[in-house]
Amino acid sequence: MLQVEHLSYDVQEEGRQSEILSDVSFSVADGEMLVITGPNGGGKSTLAKILMGIHQPTSGNIILNGRDITKMSVDERARAGIGFAFQQPPRFKGMTVRRLLHLAAGRPLSEDECCNLLSSVGLCAMEYIDRDADATLSGGEMKRIEIATVLAKQHDICIFDEPEAGIDLWSFSMLIKRFEQIHNEKKESLILISHQERIIQMADRIMVIAEGKVESAGETRVIMPQLFGEDVQSCACRQEKGGSICGAE
């Protein structure tokens, strides 16, 4: 179980202190899927990076399975059981996909294990396993490879920052199927930061963050009508073309 208690994050900008997150509290139960959504610039990606240890909070606590991990480094949090997928996956010139999977797993993987991981995200294993994880791969290819690296090791909780960003419709459909499978297995908790309705409606619970604060949170059946219901059309909370939350272009 993940518990986030009164998390705040401030930065210094041009000699002035700006508050990016303010008193954010929530929890994620074992096997639960929480989707975090809201307008761009609201602090969602910053929150994800704080959970992974990329940024350190100004105040508050992060508790994983009863253990305070607030001061832990990225490596320590990974060993504690947190997996993380960036909005834009990093690329590694000179590193093969095979090597990347080995590193993600924390041990040497067999040929069959590597092939199974790539196949599970819809990639032809023999076509990709010895390619470099660099700019020659498309955004959709890198997204799926990054998910394969997260799947290479068992985690207590996995965080995906806008997994739909920059990928084609076919790749997006593959990701949806994989998330559904992970969720149905209930072996790992999931936090997905997303604007896409198909992802949001998969959640057990939804949390909306705007201007650095939790605007609303609750079960999907309660929050979904607030986001996409006919009663909020006049507030531009739905984009007819993309099915996404306002501000998410």
Short mmCIF file of all heavy atoms in Angstrom, two decimals, residues 96-142:
data_model
loop_
_atom_site.label_atom_id
_atom_site.label_comp_id
_atom_site.label_asym_id
_atom_site.label_seq_id
_atom_site.Cartn_x
_atom_site.Cartn_y
_atom_site.Cartn_z
N THR A 96 21.54 -1.85 -26.40
CA THR A 96 20.52 -2.65 -27.07
C THR A 96 19.29 -2.83 -26.17
O THR A 96 19.36 -2.67 -24.94
CB THR A 96 21.05 -4.04 -27.43
OG1 THR A 96 21.36 -4.76 -26.23
CG2 THR A 96 22.29 -3.94 -28.32
N VAL A 97 18.19 -3.17 -26.79
CA VAL A 97 16.96 -3.45 -26.04
C VAL A 97 17.19 -4.62 -25.10
O VAL A 97 16.72 -4.63 -23.95
CB VAL A 97 15.80 -3.74 -27.02
CG1 VAL A 97 14.57 -4.22 -26.26
CG2 VAL A 97 15.47 -2.50 -27.84
N ARG A 98 17.94 -5.62 -25.55
CA ARG A 98 18.25 -6.77 -24.71
C ARG A 98 18.96 -6.33 -23.42
O ARG A 98 18.59 -6.74 -22.32
CB ARG A 98 19.15 -7.74 -25.47
CG ARG A 98 19.47 -9.03 -24.71
CD ARG A 98 20.67 -9.73 -25.35
NE ARG A 98 20.43 -10.06 -26.74
CZ ARG A 98 19.95 -11.22 -27.17
NH1 ARG A 98 19.68 -12.18 -26.30
NH2 ARG A 98 19.78 -11.45 -28.47
N ARG A 99 19.97 -5.49 -23.57
CA ARG A 99 20.73 -5.00 -22.41
C ARG A 99 19.85 -4.17 -21.49
O ARG A 99 19.95 -4.25 -20.26
CB ARG A 99 21.93 -4.18 -22.90
CG ARG A 99 22.77 -3.53 -21.80
CD ARG A 99 23.40 -4.56 -20.89
NE ARG A 99 24.28 -3.93 -19.90
CZ ARG A 99 24.63 -4.49 -18.77
NH1 ARG A 99 24.21 -5.72 -18.47
NH2 ARG A 99 25.40 -3.87 -17.92
N LEU A 100 18.97 -3.37 -22.08
CA LEU A 100 18.06 -2.54 -21.29
C LEU A 100 17.13 -3.41 -20.44
O LEU A 100 16.88 -3.10 -19.26
CB LEU A 100 17.24 -1.65 -22.23
CG LEU A 100 16.44 -0.50 -21.61
CD1 LEU A 100 17.34 0.45 -20.85
CD2 LEU A 100 15.68 0.25 -22.70
N LEU A 101 16.66 -4.50 -21.00
CA LEU A 101 15.80 -5.42 -20.25
C LEU A 101 16.57 -6.10 -19.12
O LEU A 101 16.05 -6.27 -18.02
CB LEU A 101 15.21 -6.47 -21.19
CG LEU A 101 14.17 -5.97 -22.20
CD1 LEU A 101 13.82 -7.07 -23.20
CD2 LEU A 101 12.92 -5.47 -21.51
N HIS A 102 17.83 -6.47 -19.38
CA HIS A 102 18.67 -7.06 -18.33
C HIS A 102 18.81 -6.09 -17.15
O HIS A 102 18.67 -6.49 -15.98
CB HIS A 102 20.06 -7.39 -18.87
CG HIS A 102 20.09 -8.52 -19.86
ND1 HIS A 102 19.09 -9.44 -19.98
CD2 HIS A 102 21.03 -8.87 -20.77
CE1 HIS A 102 19.41 -10.32 -20.93
NE2 HIS A 102 20.58 -9.98 -21.43
N LEU A 103 19.11 -4.83 -17.47
CA LEU A 103 19.31 -3.83 -16.42
C LEU A 103 18.02 -3.60 -15.64
O LEU A 103 18.05 -3.46 -14.41
CB LEU A 103 19.80 -2.52 -17.04
CG LEU A 103 21.22 -2.52 -17.61
CD1 LEU A 103 21.51 -1.21 -18.34
CD2 LEU A 103 22.26 -2.74 -16.50
N ALA A 104 16.90 -3.55 -16.35
CA ALA A 104 15.62 -3.32 -15.69
C ALA A 104 15.26 -4.47 -14.76
O ALA A 104 14.72 -4.25 -13.67
CB ALA A 104 14.51 -3.13 -16.73
N ALA A 105 15.60 -5.68 -15.16
CA ALA A 105 15.29 -6.85 -14.34
C ALA A 105 16.23 -7.00 -13.16
O ALA A 105 15.91 -7.67 -12.17
CB ALA A 105 15.35 -8.11 -15.20
N GLY A 106 17.41 -6.38 -13.27
CA GLY A 106 18.39 -6.50 -12.20
C GLY A 106 19.12 -7.83 -12.22
O GLY A 106 19.78 -8.21 -11.24
N ARG A 107 19.04 -8.53 -13.35
CA ARG A 107 19.70 -9.84 -13.49
C ARG A 107 19.75 -10.18 -14.97
O ARG A 107 18.98 -9.64 -15.77
CB ARG A 107 18.94 -10.93 -12.73
CG ARG A 107 17.53 -11.15 -13.24
CD ARG A 107 16.80 -12.26 -12.50
NE ARG A 107 15.44 -12.42 -12.97
CZ ARG A 107 15.09 -13.16 -14.03
NH1 ARG A 107 16.03 -13.81 -14.72
NH2 ARG A 107 13.83 -13.27 -14.39
N PRO A 108 20.62 -11.09 -15.37
CA PRO A 108 20.63 -11.54 -16.76
C PRO A 108 19.34 -12.29 -17.09
O PRO A 108 18.88 -13.12 -16.30
CB PRO A 108 21.85 -12.47 -16.84
CG PRO A 108 22.69 -12.11 -15.66
CD PRO A 108 21.73 -11.67 -14.60
N LEU A 109 18.76 -11.99 -18.23
CA LEU A 109 17.55 -12.67 -18.67
C LEU A 109 17.88 -13.63 -19.81
O LEU A 109 18.78 -13.36 -20.61
CB LEU A 109 16.51 -11.65 -19.16
CG LEU A 109 15.98 -10.64 -18.15
CD1 LEU A 109 15.08 -9.64 -18.84
CD2 LEU A 109 15.23 -11.33 -17.02
N SER A 110 17.16 -14.70 -19.86
CA SER A 110 17.35 -15.64 -20.96
C SER A 110 16.75 -15.05 -22.23
O SER A 110 15.97 -14.09 -22.20
CB SER A 110 16.68 -16.97 -20.63
OG SER A 110 15.27 -16.82 -20.62
N GLU A 111 17.11 -15.67 -23.36
CA GLU A 111 16.55 -15.24 -24.64
C GLU A 111 15.03 -15.33 -24.62
O GLU A 111 14.32 -14.43 -25.06
CB GLU A 111 17.11 -16.13 -25.76
CG GLU A 111 16.68 -15.71 -27.16
CD GLU A 111 17.70 -14.82 -27.84
OE1 GLU A 111 18.71 -14.47 -27.21
OE2 GLU A 111 17.47 -14.48 -29.00
N ASP A 112 14.51 -16.44 -24.07
CA ASP A 112 13.06 -16.63 -24.01
C ASP A 112 12.39 -15.57 -23.15
O ASP A 112 11.31 -15.08 -23.49
CB ASP A 112 12.73 -18.02 -23.47
CG ASP A 112 12.97 -19.12 -24.49
OD1 ASP A 112 13.13 -18.79 -25.68
OD2 ASP A 112 13.01 -20.29 -24.09
N GLU A 113 13.02 -15.21 -22.02
CA GLU A 113 12.43 -14.20 -21.13
C GLU A 113 12.36 -12.85 -21.84
O GLU A 113 11.33 -12.14 -21.75
CB GLU A 113 13.25 -14.08 -19.85
CG GLU A 113 13.07 -15.24 -18.88
CD GLU A 113 13.96 -15.13 -17.66
OE1 GLU A 113 15.18 -14.91 -17.83
OE2 GLU A 113 13.44 -15.25 -16.53
N CYS A 114 13.42 -12.46 -22.54
CA CYS A 114 13.42 -11.20 -23.28
C CYS A 114 12.35 -11.20 -24.36
O CYS A 114 11.60 -10.23 -24.53
CB CYS A 114 14.78 -10.95 -23.91
SG CYS A 114 16.10 -10.53 -22.75
N CYS A 115 12.26 -12.31 -25.09
CA CYS A 115 11.28 -12.41 -26.17
C CYS A 115 9.85 -12.36 -25.63
O CYS A 115 8.98 -11.71 -26.22
CB CYS A 115 11.51 -13.69 -26.96
SG CYS A 115 13.02 -13.68 -27.95
N ASN A 116 9.62 -13.00 -24.50
CA ASN A 116 8.27 -12.99 -23.91
C ASN A 116 7.87 -11.58 -23.46
O ASN A 116 6.71 -11.17 -23.61
CB ASN A 116 8.21 -13.94 -22.72
CG ASN A 116 8.21 -15.40 -23.15
OD1 ASN A 116 7.84 -15.73 -24.28
ND2 ASN A 116 8.63 -16.29 -22.26
N LEU A 117 8.83 -10.85 -22.90
CA LEU A 117 8.55 -9.48 -22.46
C LEU A 117 8.20 -8.59 -23.65
O LEU A 117 7.23 -7.82 -23.61
CB LEU A 117 9.75 -8.90 -21.71
CG LEU A 117 9.95 -9.39 -20.29
CD1 LEU A 117 11.33 -9.00 -19.77
CD2 LEU A 117 8.88 -8.82 -19.36
N LEU A 118 8.96 -8.70 -24.72
CA LEU A 118 8.68 -7.87 -25.90
C LEU A 118 7.37 -8.28 -26.57
O LEU A 118 6.59 -7.44 -27.00
CB LEU A 118 9.85 -7.97 -26.88
CG LEU A 118 11.16 -7.34 -26.40
CD1 LEU A 118 12.30 -7.63 -27.37
CD2 LEU A 118 11.01 -5.84 -26.20
N SER A 119 7.14 -9.57 -26.64
CA SER A 119 5.89 -10.05 -27.24
C SER A 119 4.67 -9.59 -26.43
O SER A 119 3.61 -9.32 -27.00
CB SER A 119 5.90 -11.58 -27.33
OG SER A 119 6.94 -12.03 -28.17
N SER A 120 4.85 -9.49 -25.12
CA SER A 120 3.72 -9.12 -24.26
C SER A 120 3.26 -7.69 -24.49
O SER A 120 2.14 -7.33 -24.12
CB SER A 120 4.09 -9.30 -22.78
OG SER A 120 4.98 -8.30 -22.34
N VAL A 121 4.13 -6.86 -25.10
CA VAL A 121 3.74 -5.47 -25.41
C VAL A 121 3.56 -5.27 -26.91
O VAL A 121 3.55 -4.15 -27.40
CB VAL A 121 4.76 -4.46 -24.84
CG1 VAL A 121 4.74 -4.48 -23.33
CG2 VAL A 121 6.18 -4.72 -25.37
N GLY A 122 3.43 -6.39 -27.63
CA GLY A 122 3.06 -6.31 -29.04
C GLY A 122 4.20 -6.07 -30.00
O GLY A 122 3.98 -5.60 -31.13
N LEU A 123 5.43 -6.39 -29.61
CA LEU A 123 6.59 -6.21 -30.48
C LEU A 123 7.11 -7.57 -30.93
O LEU A 123 7.15 -8.52 -30.15
CB LEU A 123 7.70 -5.45 -29.77
CG LEU A 123 7.40 -4.00 -29.39
CD1 LEU A 123 8.56 -3.41 -28.60
CD2 LEU A 123 7.14 -3.14 -30.63
N CYS A 124 7.53 -7.64 -32.18
CA CYS A 124 8.18 -8.85 -32.70
C CYS A 124 9.56 -8.94 -32.07
O CYS A 124 10.45 -8.14 -32.39
CB CYS A 124 8.27 -8.79 -34.22
SG CYS A 124 9.15 -10.19 -34.94
N ALA A 125 9.74 -9.90 -31.17
CA ALA A 125 10.94 -9.96 -30.35
C ALA A 125 12.22 -10.00 -31.17
O ALA A 125 13.17 -9.25 -30.90
CB ALA A 125 10.87 -11.17 -29.42
N MET A 126 12.28 -10.85 -32.18
CA MET A 126 13.51 -11.01 -32.94
C MET A 126 13.86 -9.76 -33.74
O MET A 126 15.02 -9.55 -34.10
CB MET A 126 13.40 -12.22 -33.87
CG MET A 126 13.20 -13.55 -33.12
SD MET A 126 14.31 -13.75 -31.68
CE MET A 126 15.90 -13.77 -32.50
N GLU A 127 12.87 -8.93 -34.01
CA GLU A 127 13.12 -7.70 -34.76
C GLU A 127 13.71 -6.61 -33.88
O GLU A 127 14.44 -5.72 -34.36
CB GLU A 127 11.82 -7.21 -35.40
CG GLU A 127 11.99 -5.94 -36.23
CD GLU A 127 10.68 -5.49 -36.86
OE1 GLU A 127 9.75 -6.32 -36.97
OE2 GLU A 127 10.59 -4.30 -37.22
N TYR A 128 13.43 -6.67 -32.56
CA TYR A 128 13.80 -5.56 -31.68
C TYR A 128 14.89 -5.89 -30.66
O TYR A 128 15.55 -4.98 -30.16
CB TYR A 128 12.56 -5.06 -30.92
CG TYR A 128 11.60 -4.29 -31.78
CD1 TYR A 128 10.56 -4.94 -32.44
CD2 TYR A 128 11.74 -2.92 -31.97
CE1 TYR A 128 9.68 -4.24 -33.25
CE2 TYR A 128 10.86 -2.21 -32.77
CZ TYR A 128 9.83 -2.88 -33.41
OH TYR A 128 8.97 -2.19 -34.22
N ILE A 129 15.07 -7.13 -30.32
CA ILE A 129 15.89 -7.48 -29.17
C ILE A 129 17.33 -6.98 -29.27
O ILE A 129 17.94 -6.60 -28.27
CB ILE A 129 15.85 -9.01 -28.93
CG1 ILE A 129 16.44 -9.34 -27.56
CG2 ILE A 129 16.53 -9.78 -30.04
CD1 ILE A 129 16.19 -10.77 -27.12
N ASP A 130 17.88 -6.92 -30.47
CA ASP A 130 19.27 -6.48 -30.63
C ASP A 130 19.39 -5.11 -31.27
O ASP A 130 20.49 -4.69 -31.66
CB ASP A 130 20.05 -7.52 -31.45
CG ASP A 130 20.27 -8.81 -30.65
OD1 ASP A 130 20.58 -8.72 -29.45
OD2 ASP A 130 20.12 -9.89 -31.24
N ARG A 131 18.28 -4.40 -31.35
CA ARG A 131 18.33 -3.01 -31.84
C ARG A 131 18.73 -2.09 -30.70
O ARG A 131 18.48 -2.37 -29.52
CB ARG A 131 16.96 -2.58 -32.38
CG ARG A 131 16.61 -3.19 -33.71
CD ARG A 131 15.31 -2.63 -34.26
NE ARG A 131 15.40 -1.19 -34.55
CZ ARG A 131 14.40 -0.48 -35.07
NH1 ARG A 131 13.24 -1.08 -35.34
NH2 ARG A 131 14.54 0.81 -35.31
N ASP A 132 19.33 -0.96 -31.04
CA ASP A 132 19.65 0.04 -30.03
C ASP A 132 18.39 0.77 -29.61
O ASP A 132 17.52 1.07 -30.44
CB ASP A 132 20.67 1.05 -30.57
CG ASP A 132 22.08 0.51 -30.58
OD1 ASP A 132 22.29 -0.62 -30.08
OD2 ASP A 132 22.98 1.20 -31.08
N ALA A 133 18.28 1.06 -28.33
CA ALA A 133 17.14 1.81 -27.80
C ALA A 133 17.41 3.29 -27.96
O ALA A 133 17.57 4.04 -27.00
CB ALA A 133 16.90 1.46 -26.34
N ASP A 134 17.43 3.73 -29.21
CA ASP A 134 17.83 5.11 -29.51
C ASP A 134 16.80 5.80 -30.39
O ASP A 134 15.66 5.35 -30.50
CB ASP A 134 19.23 5.12 -30.16
CG ASP A 134 19.27 4.32 -31.46
OD1 ASP A 134 18.20 3.95 -31.99
OD2 ASP A 134 20.39 4.06 -31.95
N ALA A 135 17.22 6.88 -31.05
CA ALA A 135 16.29 7.70 -31.82
C ALA A 135 15.79 7.03 -33.09
O ALA A 135 14.89 7.57 -33.75
CB ALA A 135 16.96 9.03 -32.18
N THR A 136 16.32 5.86 -33.44
CA THR A 136 15.81 5.15 -34.62
C THR A 136 14.46 4.49 -34.35
O THR A 136 13.78 4.08 -35.27
CB THR A 136 16.81 4.07 -35.09
OG1 THR A 136 16.97 3.10 -34.05
CG2 THR A 136 18.16 4.70 -35.42
N LEU A 137 14.09 4.41 -33.07
CA LEU A 137 12.80 3.83 -32.70
C LEU A 137 11.74 4.93 -32.61
O LEU A 137 12.02 6.04 -32.17
CB LEU A 137 12.91 3.11 -31.36
CG LEU A 137 13.82 1.88 -31.34
CD1 LEU A 137 14.01 1.39 -29.90
CD2 LEU A 137 13.27 0.76 -32.20
N SER A 138 10.53 4.61 -33.00
CA SER A 138 9.42 5.57 -32.93
C SER A 138 8.97 5.76 -31.49
O SER A 138 9.34 4.99 -30.59
CB SER A 138 8.25 5.09 -33.78
OG SER A 138 7.63 3.97 -33.17
N GLY A 139 8.13 6.77 -31.28
CA GLY A 139 7.60 7.02 -29.94
C GLY A 139 6.80 5.83 -29.42
O GLY A 139 6.91 5.46 -28.25
N GLY A 140 5.98 5.22 -30.30
CA GLY A 140 5.18 4.07 -29.90
C GLY A 140 6.05 2.87 -29.56
O GLY A 140 5.76 2.14 -28.61
N GLU A 141 7.11 2.66 -30.35
CA GLU A 141 8.02 1.55 -30.07
C GLU A 141 8.72 1.73 -28.73
O GLU A 141 8.82 0.80 -27.93
CB GLU A 141 9.05 1.43 -31.20
CG GLU A 141 8.46 0.94 -32.51
CD GLU A 141 9.41 1.09 -33.68
OE1 GLU A 141 10.23 2.05 -33.67
OE2 GLU A 141 9.36 0.26 -34.60
N MET A 142 9.20 2.94 -28.47
CA MET A 142 9.89 3.20 -27.21
C MET A 142 8.95 3.09 -26.02
O MET A 142 9.33 2.61 -24.95
CB MET A 142 10.54 4.59 -27.22
CG MET A 142 11.90 4.65 -27.90
SD MET A 142 13.13 3.47 -27.23
CE MET A 142 13.13 3.89 -25.49
#
